[in-house]
Amino acid sequence: MLGKDDPAASSTEAAVVVRDIEPYGDHQPAVAAASPKHAELVALTLLSGTDRAALGRLMRLWTADIVALSAGRPAPGDTAPELALPGVALTTTVGFGPRVFSLPGLAGLKPGGLDDLPVMSHDRLQPAWSGGDLLLLVGADDPVSVVHAVRRLVADAAPFARPVWRQTGFWNGAGADRKPVTGRNLFGQVDGTGNPAPGTPEFDSTVWSTDGLEWFRGGTTLVVRRIRMNLDTWDELTRSEQERAVGRKLSTGAPLTGSVEHDELDLEKRDADGRLVIAENAHARLSHHSTNDGRRIFRKGLNYVQDTGATRESGLIFLSYQADIAGQFLPLLARLDAADALNEWTTTIGSAVFAIPPGFHPDEWLAQALLR
Amino acid sequence: MLGKDDPAASSTEAAVVVRDIEPYGDHQPAVAAASPKHAELVALTLLSGTDRAALGRLMRLWTADIVALSAGRPAPGDTAPELALPGVALTTTVGFGPRVFSLPGLAGLKPGGLDDLPVMSHDRLQPAWSGGDLLLLVGADDPVSVVHAVRRLVADAAPFARPVWRQTGFWNGAGADRKPVTGRNLFGQVDGTGNPAPGTPEFDSTVWSTDGLEWFRGGTTLVVRRIRMNLDTWDELTRSEQERAVGRKLSTGAPLTGSVEHDELDLEKRDADGRLVIAENAHARLSHHSTNDGRRIFRKGLNYVQDTGATRESGLIFLSYQADIAGQFLPLLARLDAADALNEWTTTIGSAVFAIPPGFHPDEWLAQALLR
């Protein structure tokens, strides 16, 4: 009677870290953390009556929510308190879109480079996935916890702002043994290898703002791009065609010139026929900091699927953190738009930019240096 | 510098079971197993050329896919082999809709009671979520693995059948310490307490077919109902109003007449004012087997959220397994439709029924007793 009372054929115990993430700090804590298993992004638009003072009230409400929800406790006024669960590493990141800084009292306080991105030639942007005045990015190990937290945060925002888009994504940053790995997008590629490592000077200079705005010290900016991926046409390629488009091996994520994931790219190496091993238009070449005047970003991905009855759309919610969008991200984006081999199988259908205020410490509230 | 290099405020290790689930057995193995963390259901419609023999070819293909994918190996011809991951408890359950049994050669082999459900007075069925000739139900601990398996299985079905609907859901059957619990729906209710326990005679007589069809011995039937839940109006209730509608406590799932989750309901108990503690129209009363001539079902749920730009729909993908839909499920459904207090906050928008063939053993293939 296999498969009945004890259907586990092979079963081992693995130790997993069960944790809550401290909501306090100089930075909002999820920025430097690994991609969550589950996440939801909600962009909201400010209601017409929401001025600087009202936005401050919302930030005080959200701060109290975030402190409670991060610890797995119900938020104040929670209507479904039993859905709050500790130990699921729940984080909430809040962002401000460019229009926030046109509110009276906030002139001159917009971080440099925080403007809607120009439309790229390959973009097919849909308003349903673009723009927004406020961002909530909630991540956790458990999707029920994410849904619960978002519901609470959006409910508390109702007097001030209403949702304009929502995106749900997932990521698997663990191997078969549950140890951390970089993770793969739905093309099967290891995705995110080139990132600077959190805690290094390189990471700090890439991510945290240095534009001199006092309130924004410890802040960063986030670009959200919804990238539709055509799995059907991608699947028609041979593996070597797929690897040539990326410039990395599908099996390990190693560059085509190397043998393990984190080997440096050899951008000059040629094969026996004299062809560059990492092609001129390979994604890994064009996005590498050495070919971008040393400019780096800190990028993360969340896979998504979107079903409408019988049709399925698959893709990547691409998240890029950087000190300065105009100085770091935009030149890279323009370069990839012009030449990236992957453009044949990917289409960006949503785009938004947000300032990510610094973190808060106990007895402080989110963005109080801007709004108090 | 809290929240920067080591953002974990409280962090403990929990032992989790990492496992693959044996695909073989007298029954398809996911039926009796706990709800998976992540699942996708795909209903497909047979193409006009798909006859009994062709359906057998598809079942042989799917059997090979299922054996590989269950072990975390790429399926034959896998275009994204690196997305196959062992240890994620991946299962695939296959079902046949009523129309399959109108194929030449299959007359008289339809399990008794396997007919589309009549439309209930509260139903607002949408074709986009209803019906279907074949069902794939893939579950796993990891959503990337689910998406990968579904992609492979649907691709292999392309010569025979095409998807007509897809539903994605999630469930958290673990508490803060990662130990198994019943789990909660998005109303916050503990959901599934009244189920017969797998491995008991009660479970076996509830679930496995006894209708005498030789090929269907070890099979069962599955009802899939997509139930939209109005969280906004639900949240307007007080907790005691919510508990009265359900007949159970929100905190523990215990009946209002008891103190722990699995306490038996006392359906006669009255309060000081002489009112029934578990109300006449409470969901727990109306769905209890003792008020349904002893008829039971084995029910599971998957929470879902469906986003369309700014709007979110939330609900439950309700799954009911039983030996006989007409004899067990339909009387219960009619009873709940007539009187269930929860009808005010729930609307069924999709409905489908499937025969779930018995399992297969090594060197057998799925439903071969029907199709070979």
Side-chain angles (χ1 to χ4, degrees):
Chain A
M1 299 293 275
L2 272 174
K4 190 184 177 194
D5 299 339
D6 179 13
S10 67
S11 165
T12 57
E13 290 213 332
V16 297
V17 175
V18 175
R19 61 185 179 137
D20 295 317
I21 293 183
E22 178 75 49
Y24 306 112
D26 293 344
H27 313 295
Q28 293 194 59
V31 174
S35 284
K37 287 188 192 167
H38 307 278
E40 182 173 345
L41 295 92
V42 184
L44 304 95
T45 192
L46 297 180
L47 303 184
S48 57
T50 304
D51 58 12
R52 180 177 177 282
L55 188 57
R57 286 195 294 277
L58 174 56
M59 290 306 117
R60 288 193 290 273
L61 283 170
W62 274 359
T63 300
D65 289 342
I66 290 168
V67 169
L69 293 165
S70 296
R73 296 194 307 268
D78 205 319
T79 50
E82 283 82 10
L83 293 181
L85 186 71
V88 296
L90 188 136
T91 58
T92 300
T93 307
V94 172
F96 297 154
R99 207 173 65 95
V100 163
F101 300 94
S102 60
L103 290 178
L106 298 182
L109 295 170
K110 186 171 81 165
L114 185 73
D115 296 293
D116 288 332
L117 296 170
V119 179
M120 298 288 115
S121 72
H122 289 93
D123 286 359
R124 298 295 178 268
L125 300 184
Q126 300 172 7
W129 306 115
S130 299
D133 296 332
L134 300 176
L135 176 75
L136 286 168
L137 165 48
V138 176
D141 286 346
D142 162 45
V144 180
S145 300
V146 172
V147 169
H148 169 251
V150 167
R151 179 173 162 197
R152 191 66 255 143
L153 292 159
V154 169
D156 281 341
F160 309 103
R162 64 174 168 75
V164 286
W165 55 253
R166 294 169 178 262
Q167 302 190 41
T168 302
F170 50 91
W171 194 253
N172 187 3
D177 57 3
R178 299 295 195 273
K179 299 235 169 75
V181 297
T182 305
R184 293 177 183 272
N185 64 33
L186 296 179
F187 280 164
Q189 301 161 354
V190 176
D191 192 323
T193 302
N195 272 333
T200 61
E202 193 169 66
F203 179 87
D204 290 347
S205 65
T206 298
V207 172
W208 308 122
S209 172
T210 52
D211 85 348
L213 280 174
E214 184 57 31
W215 83 269
F216 200 52
R217 185 196 299 258
T220 181
T221 64
L222 172 62
V223 174
V224 181
R225 307 267 291 173
R226 188 172 176 89
I227 302 176
R228 191 172 63 203
M229 293 161 61
N230 191 331
L231 298 189
D232 293 336
T233 55
W234 177 258
D235 278 355
E236 290 167 4
L237 303 180
T238 63
R239 280 174 69 84
S240 73
E241 287 167 337
Q242 292 176 346
E243 291 181 335
R244 193 167 167 80
V246 184
R248 292 184 178 273
K249 294 173 188 169
L250 281 162
S251 55
T252 59
L256 293 181
T257 56
S259 57
V260 296
E261 183 188 350
H262 289 284
D263 278 348
E264 257 310 315
L265 280 65
D266 180 349
L267 295 171
E268 308 305 322
K269 189 170 180 181
R270 292 176 183 271
D271 64 16
D273 300 327
R275 292 191 316 171
L276 284 164
V277 176
I278 297 174
E280 286 289 358
N281 66 348
H283 181 78
R285 171 186 296 272
L286 293 170
S287 59
H288 195 259
H289 61 95
S290 72
T291 68
N292 284 283
D293 297 328
R295 286 183 291 255
R296 289 173 177 269
I297 58 170
F298 179 58
R299 51 153 308 168
K300 298 192 193 179
L302 293 162
N303 298 311
Y304 78 83
V305 292
Q306 174 88 11
D307 295 330
T308 316
T311 9
R312 151 147 297 183
E313 181 188 300
S314 300
L316 185 75
I317 305 169
F318 170 94
L319 305 174
S320 173
Y321 292 95
Q322 56 283 305
D324 176 9
I325 292 171
Q328 292 165 259
F329 182 78
L330 197 49
L332 173 62
L333 180 66
R335 189 170 153 81
L336 292 169
D337 183 62
D340 187 357
L342 286 182
N343 288 336
E344 190 167 339
W345 304 279
T346 60
T347 307
T348 301
I349 60 173
S351 184
V353 299
F354 300 96
I356 305 297
F360 55 86
H361 293 91
D363 302 320
E364 293 179 349
W365 45 277
L366 199 57
Q368 71 173 41
L370 179 71
L371 299 171
R372 82 178 141 198
Chain B
M1 299 293 275
L2 273 174
K4 191 184 174 190
D5 299 337
D6 181 13
S10 68
S11 165
T12 57
E13 290 214 331
V16 297
V17 175
V18 175
R19 62 185 179 139
D20 295 316
I21 293 184
E22 178 75 49
Y24 306 111
D26 292 344
H27 313 295
Q28 293 194 59
V31 174
S35 285
K37 288 189 193 168
H38 307 277
E40 183 174 345
L41 295 92
V42 184
L44 304 96
T45 192
L46 296 180
L47 303 184
S48 57
T50 304
D51 57 13
R52 180 178 176 282
L55 188 57
R57 286 195 294 277
L58 173 56
M59 289 306 117
R60 288 194 291 274
L61 283 170
W62 274 359
T63 300
D65 289 343
I66 290 168
V67 169
L69 293 166
S70 296
R73 297 194 307 269
D78 205 320
T79 50
E82 283 83 10
L83 293 181
L85 186 71
V88 295
L90 189 136
T91 57
T92 301
T93 307
V94 172
F96 297 154
R99 207 174 65 95
V100 163
F101 300 94
S102 60
L103 290 177
L106 298 182
L109 295 169
K110 187 171 81 165
L114 185 74
D115 295 293
D116 288 331
L117 296 170
V119 178
M120 298 289 115
S121 73
H122 289 94
D123 287 358
R124 298 294 177 267
L125 301 184
Q126 301 172 7
W129 305 116
S130 299
D133 296 332
L134 300 176
L135 175 75
L136 286 168
L137 164 48
V138 177
D141 287 345
D142 163 45
V144 180
S145 300
V146 172
V147 168
H148 169 252
V150 167
R151 178 173 161 196
R152 189 69 254 141
L153 291 159
V154 168
D156 280 343
F160 308 102
R162 62 173 170 77
V164 286
W165 55 254
R166 295 168 178 263
Q167 303 190 41
T168 303
F170 49 91
W171 195 251
N172 187 3
D177 58 2
R178 299 295 195 273
K179 299 233 169 74
V181 296
T182 305
R184 293 178 184 270
N185 63 35
L186 296 179
F187 281 163
Q189 302 160 354
V190 175
D191 193 323
T193 302
N195 271 332
T200 61
E202 193 168 65
F203 180 88
D204 290 347
S205 64
T206 299
V207 173
W208 308 123
S209 172
T210 52
D211 85 347
L213 279 174
E214 184 56 31
W215 82 269
F216 200 52
R217 183 196 301 258
T220 182
T221 65
L222 172 62
V223 174
V224 181
R225 306 267 291 173
R226 187 171 177 91
I227 302 177
R228 192 172 62 203
M229 293 160 61
N230 191 331
L231 299 191
D232 293 335
T233 56
W234 177 257
D235 277 355
E236 290 167 4
L237 303 179
T238 64
R239 281 174 69 83
S240 72
E241 287 168 339
Q242 292 176 348
E243 291 181 335
R244 195 167 166 79
V246 184
R248 290 184 179 273
K249 294 173 187 167
L250 282 161
S251 55
T252 59
L256 292 181
T257 55
S259 58
V260 297
E261 182 188 351
H262 289 284
D263 278 348
E264 255 311 315
L265 279 63
D266 180 349
L267 295 171
E268 308 305 322
K269 188 170 180 181
R270 291 175 185 272
D271 63 17
D273 300 327
R275 291 191 316 172
L276 283 165
V277 176
I278 296 174
E280 287 289 358
N281 65 349
H283 181 79
R285 173 187 295 272
L286 293 170
S287 59
H288 195 258
H289 61 95
S290 72
T291 68
N292 284 283
D293 298 327
R295 285 182 293 254
R296 289 174 177 270
I297 58 170
F298 178 59
R299 50 153 309 170
K300 298 192 193 179
L302 293 162
N303 297 312
Y304 79 83
V305 293
Q306 174 88 11
D307 296 329
T308 316
T311 17
R312 151 148 298 182
E313 181 188 300
S314 300
L316 186 75
I317 305 168
F318 171 93
L319 305 174
S320 174
Y321 292 94
Q322 56 283 304
D324 176 9
I325 291 171
Q328 293 164 260
F329 182 78
L330 197 50
L332 173 62
L333 179 66
R335 188 170 154 80
L336 291 170
D337 183 61
D340 187 358
L342 285 182
N343 288 335
E344 190 167 339
W345 304 278
T346 59
T347 307
T348 301
I349 60 172
S351 184
V353 298
F354 300 96
I356 306 296
F360 55 87
H361 292 91
D363 301 321
E364 293 178 350
W365 46 277
L366 200 54
Q368 72 172 38
L370 179 71
L371 299 170
R372 84 180 138 198

